[in-house]
């Protein structure tokens, strides 16, 4: 009823500027017939329409149906279009009540917004302040044809149960409950907006979307820590993590020993602590060693000015004050993968020391260390390719005015600077 009323009103308010999308979840035997009703009404109103069939997977049927429905909407929405939905005041009140029972916080109790700006779409709900009774009266006056979905009365589903069983019981005691719950959503939207302003300041103080400084984070109150971690984990997603997941991040990762390298996987990202920082990594970044293994050995003939591509980044061969002998240009040099246990005598340093120690002192992140490769000739180490740049090794091949590979860009999407995200410094 509410959707068909919205269709008719919009055809009058915005003629020639609207389209109708009917999502057929194929969960009811009559769903195809309902699509025919949409076709009939849209044709009569001269509105272009789309009938989109979707498949709902097993699990929480209400949640899965909502997910595939919005996925279908995204397929058809153009960048300059707005999605109109017919949610009304009782829908809003039911949402607040159900989220309260699920233990939602401020954002959850804010429920649905009249104008909802999302990353990939904008939603407008023009009926959000209208009661179901007002919509029914309007629909009757305009003699609009509609059908009722029987699942709206199937108390197997949480929303239908709350509407059919819980709602009358509470409303008998609290006649103005619907308006009160709707008002709560608006108050929570105000609170959410204020909290968002605080979180923007806190995030700017503590880090970026990919990295948090734990020293600064732990200076905040426990409540602000929890809220910042929640919105930080949410990222560009629509929903925040559950309270329990934020607690796991705090207990299992942040509060772990600094050398534990604990990680938590949630919503396609890995949350990893390294020293005094917390990182948010994609699967591709965190599991890069497994997903994109570095070849054990390769050979190359370097030429001045050329750009070479290695696991740790892209390097350009340039002349330096101190570098490798020009006689090595165009010679066959070997690039081998770091195995562990190697020692390096870095140019300008006294004596050899473990390459592992040099890597640790340079703060190269553990999930990037597999990209490190060593440049050799006749078993003589010439230098090391790292995400922090090329480290020149002390050898008989060093000379003034020689050449070195100069790091110009990283191959990793997480830039391994000094806990930053600009051009990194060299050791």
């Amino acid at each position: 009823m509410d959707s068909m009323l919205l269709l008719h009103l919009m055809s009058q308010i915005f003629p020639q500027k609207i389209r109708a999308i009917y999502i057929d979840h194929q969960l009811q035997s009559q769903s195809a017939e309902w699509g025919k009703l949409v076709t009939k009404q849209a044709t009569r109103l001269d509105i272009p329409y789309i009938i989109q069939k979707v498949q709902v997977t097993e699990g929480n049927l209400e949640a899965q149906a909502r997910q595939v429905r919005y996925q279908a909407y995204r397929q058809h929405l153009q960048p300059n279009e707005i999605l109109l939905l017919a949610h009304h005041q009782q829908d809003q009140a039911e949402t607040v009540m159900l989220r309260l029972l699920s233990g939602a916080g401020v954002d959850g109790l804010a429920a649905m917004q009249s104008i909802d700006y999302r990353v990939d779409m904008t939603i407008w709900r023009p009926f959000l302040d209208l009661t179901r009774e007002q919509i029914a009266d309007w629909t009757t006056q305009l003699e609009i044809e509609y059908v009722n979905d029987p699942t709206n009365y199937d108390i197997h589903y949480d929303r239908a149960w709350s509407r059919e069983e819980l709602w009358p019981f509470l409303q008998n005691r609290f006649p103005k409950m619907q308006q009160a719950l709707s008002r709560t959503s608006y108050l929570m939207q105000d609170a959410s907006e204020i909290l968002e302003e605080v979180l923007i300041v806190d995030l700017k103080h503590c880090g970026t979307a990919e990295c948090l400084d734990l020293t600064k984070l732990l200076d905040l109150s426990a409540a602000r820590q929890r809220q910042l971690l929640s919105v930080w984990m949410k990222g560009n997603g629509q929903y925040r993590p559950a309270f329990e997941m934020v607690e796991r991040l705090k207990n299992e990762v942040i509060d772990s020993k600094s050398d534990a390298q604990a990680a938590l996987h949630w919503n396609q990202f890995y949350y990893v602590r390294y020293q005094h920082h917390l990182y948010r990594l994609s699967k591709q970044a965190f599991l890069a060693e497994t997903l994109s293994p570095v070849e054990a050995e390769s050979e190359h003939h370097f030429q001045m000015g050329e750009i070479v591509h290695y696991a740790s980044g892209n390097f350009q061969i340039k002349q330096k004050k101190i570098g490798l002998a020009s006689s090595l240009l165009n010679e066959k040099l070997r690039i081998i993968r770091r195995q562990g246990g190697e020692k390096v005598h870095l140019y300008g340093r006294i004596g050899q020391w473990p390459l592992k120690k040099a890597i640790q002192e340079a703060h190269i992140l553990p999930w990037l260390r597999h990209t490190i490769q060593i440049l050799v000739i006749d078993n003589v180490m010439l230098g090391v390719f790292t995400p922090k740049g090329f480290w020149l090794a002390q050898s008989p091949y060093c000379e003034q005015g020689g050449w070195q590979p100069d790091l110009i860009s990283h191959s990793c999407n997480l830039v391994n600077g000094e806990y930053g995200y600009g051009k990194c410094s060299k050791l």
Side-chain angles (χ1 to χ4, degrees), residues 302-342:
F302 292 93
Q303 297 179 10
M304 189 65 72
E306 76 166 316
I307 295 176
V308 293
H309 311 282
Y310 293 111
S312 56
N314 300 320
F315 299 76
Q316 185 171 25
I317 307 304
K318 293 183 179 180
Q319 188 173 17
K320 301 284 185 176
K321 290 182 179 179
I322 298 293
L324 297 171
S326 57
S327 60
L328 292 179
L329 291 172
N330 296 315
E331 286 290 322
K332 183 173 69 175
L333 304 182
R334 294 166 54 227
I335 299 93
I336 60 176
R337 185 176 60 205
R338 170 178 170 257
Q339 300 296 320
E342 299 92 347

Side-chain angles (χ1 to χ4, degrees), residues 7 23 38 54 61 78 87 98 123 127 167 172 222 236 239 253 261 269 298 328 337 342 352 354 370 373 425:
L7 181 69
I23 307 299
V38 174
V54 295
L61 199 61
Q78 301 300 318
H87 295 118
L98 289 170
I123 299 173
F127 289 177
W167 194 268
N172 184 55
N236 290 329
Y239 300 108
V253 181
Q261 296 184 18
F269 287 92
S298 62
L328 292 179
R337 185 176 60 205
E342 299 92 347
Q352 289 190 336
H370 73 285
Q373 295 172 284
S425 59

Side-chain angles (χ1 to χ4, degrees), residues 29-241:
S29 59
Q30 313 100 304
S31 63
E33 292 299 316
W34 301 341
K36 292 180 181 179
L37 173 63
V38 174
T39 299
K40 173 185 172 182
Q41 296 291 347
T43 301
R44 187 170 69 83
L45 296 169
D46 193 25
I47 297 171
Y49 62 90
I50 297 167
I51 307 296
Q52 174 76 56
K53 290 186 177 182
V54 295
Q55 294 287 341
V56 180
T57 58
E58 295 181 357
N60 184 321
L61 199 61
E62 291 174 281
Q64 293 293 335
R66 181 171 56 251
Q67 181 177 345
V68 298
R69 181 164 63 249
Y70 278 92
Q71 287 175 347
Y73 290 149
R74 292 185 187 96
Q75 293 176 14
H76 300 291
L77 280 176
Q78 301 300 318
N80 62 334
E81 291 183 327
I82 295 174
L83 177 65
L84 276 76
L85 299 177
H87 295 118
H88 49 73
Q89 190 181 71
Q90 185 173 342
D91 292 327
Q92 180 78 309
E94 290 170 357
T95 300
V96 173
M97 185 166 60
L98 289 170
R99 290 186 178 179
L100 178 63
L101 294 174
S102 69
V106 171
D107 280 358
L109 297 179
M112 296 179 284
Q113 297 181 347
S114 178
I115 304 293
D116 187 355
Y117 298 102
R118 301 188 180 183
V119 174
D120 51 2
M121 69 171 71
T122 298
I123 299 173
W124 179 25
R125 300 180 176 94
F127 289 177
L128 211 53
D129 290 326
L130 294 179
T131 66
R132 183 171 179 80
E133 291 74 23
Q134 289 173 313
I135 291 173
D137 289 344
W138 212 345
T139 303
T140 301
Q141 292 173 23
L142 296 176
E143 299 181 344
I144 296 173
E145 187 179 357
Y146 66 91
V147 294
N148 283 317
D149 184 346
T151 59
N152 289 334
Y153 309 97
D154 185 349
I155 60 174
H156 171 75
Y157 302 107
D158 288 343
R159 186 173 288 272
W161 173 84
S162 69
R163 182 183 302 128
E164 296 299 312
E165 300 287 330
L166 183 60
W167 194 268
F169 176 77
L170 293 174
Q171 197 168 41
N172 184 55
R173 179 73 177 184
F174 303 100
K176 295 187 179 297
M177 179 185 70
Q178 178 171 306
Q179 293 86 338
L181 288 173
S182 180
R183 183 169 62 251
T184 294
S185 73
Y186 284 117
L187 294 174
M188 289 299 101
Q189 287 175 22
D190 285 348
S192 179
E193 187 174 337
I194 294 169
L195 179 59
E196 182 70 21
E197 293 172 359
V198 174
L199 290 172
I200 289 173
V201 174
D202 285 350
L203 180 57
K204 186 176 181 180
H205 172 68
C206 293
T208 68
E210 293 84 17
C211 176
L212 293 179
D213 185 325
L214 293 180
T215 303
K216 294 179 179 178
L217 175 72
L218 297 177
D219 280 341
L220 301 176
S221 67
R224 286 172 71 171
Q225 288 180 39
R226 189 162 47 245
Q227 290 297 321
L228 179 57
L229 289 172
S230 176
V231 76
W232 185 70
M233 293 178 73
K234 171 180 175 286
N236 290 329
Q238 184 179 350
Y239 300 108
R240 289 195 186 193

